[in-house]
Amino acid sequence: MQQLKPIKYISNIFLAKTIMKTIRTVLIIQTVFCLVACNPNNRKNQEQGSTQPGVSNTPSKSFEENKNSLLNKTPLTKEQFASWLPETMLGLPLTSSTINLLPGVGSCTANYNQGNTRIRIMIIDGAGEKGANGVAPYRASSTLNINDKGAWGSTKTETVNGLKAKVSYLEEDRLNASMFYNERFAVDIKLNELTRESLDQIVQELKLEKLRELERQ
């Protein structure tokens, strides 16, 4: 039995390194996207796509099955994201966007605003190792039914335009929502000076079904 201890020790080290790698990847992705969203000098995209909204986003695979199915997929290209990106949202113009900022991670951020009314959209493609790690928190929260309250506001699991989403109601007329679409795409939406009813319309205008069509090409 004493001979098994080195093996167990090595196994624990490998597991710890794997967990830290996943956490580090997620933090890098979220930090970079936050910096991008706050940068007013991001280049505006000039292309637009259209199709109908998607289907239910309730996960049907286990965490490991979902991750393994994404590892060998290829992230959407810059051109594919550009063909999907809407030029307006609730009548607000697209003021800045950034596509595939990080190597190996399919992603798109877009900002729509007029005065203090603002919409910020972030999409992370779970394809590939880095992408699969990046969408892991969204996949995890999509399996939960949340109902939390605090001094900061409240967070609830709700249905938004037919899709399961985590919706946070914050102070100062701010609203955040996130979902895991088609067991591949993390979708993050931040609103300022817009109502909860606006969120359903935004998800409809995003035409997430187009992302499903693009991944098959």
Side-chain angles (χ1 to χ4, degrees), residues 171-190:
E171 296 178 349
E172 300 177 355
D173 297 323
R174 291 183 295 123
L175 183 68
N176 296 347
S178 64
M179 61 187 69
F180 189 50
Y181 180 74
N182 196 39
E183 300 194 76
R184 173 166 170 169
F185 298 98
V187 181
D188 196 273
I189 303 170
K190 297 184 184 300

Side-chain angles (χ1 to χ4, degrees), residues 103-152:
V105 181
S107 57
C108 178
T109 61
N111 293 283
Y112 305 82
N113 68 275
Q114 193 167 44
N116 290 327
T117 304
R118 298 190 297 272
I119 302 172
R120 180 231 177 187
I121 307 294
M122 180 179 73
I123 306 290
I124 303 175
D125 185 353
E129 182 178 359
K130 293 181 180 178
N133 289 333
V135 301
Y138 293 84
R139 199 269 175 207
S141 65
S142 71
T143 64
L144 304 175
N145 290 315
I146 303 170
N147 189 3
D148 294 331
K149 292 184 179 181
W152 46 269

Side-chain angles (χ1 to χ4, degrees), residues 1 55 80 89 96 104 117 130 147 194 202:
M1 295 298 292
V55 295
Q80 287 175 314
M89 190 64 55
S96 64
T117 304
K130 293 181 180 178
N147 189 3
L194 287 167
I202 288 171

Side-chain angles (χ1 to χ4, degrees), residues 6 11 13 25 54 62 73 102 118 140 154 168 185-186 188 195 200 210 216:
S11 176
I13 292 178
T25 300
S62 69
K73 292 182 180 294
L102 294 177
R118 298 190 297 272
S154 64
S168 296
F185 298 98
D188 196 273
T195 65
D200 290 270
K210 179 66 177 295
R216 296 171 184 152

Side-chain angles (χ1 to χ4, degrees), residues 38-65:
C38 296
N39 186 354
N41 297 318
N42 292 328
R43 187 176 67 177
K44 179 180 177 181
N45 265 292
Q46 299 299 323
E47 299 180 59
Q48 178 181 10
S50 64
T51 188
Q52 294 301 313
V55 295
S56 172
N57 59 334
T58 302
S60 60
K61 300 177 182 178
S62 69
F63 181 87
E64 287 301 322
E65 287 176 329

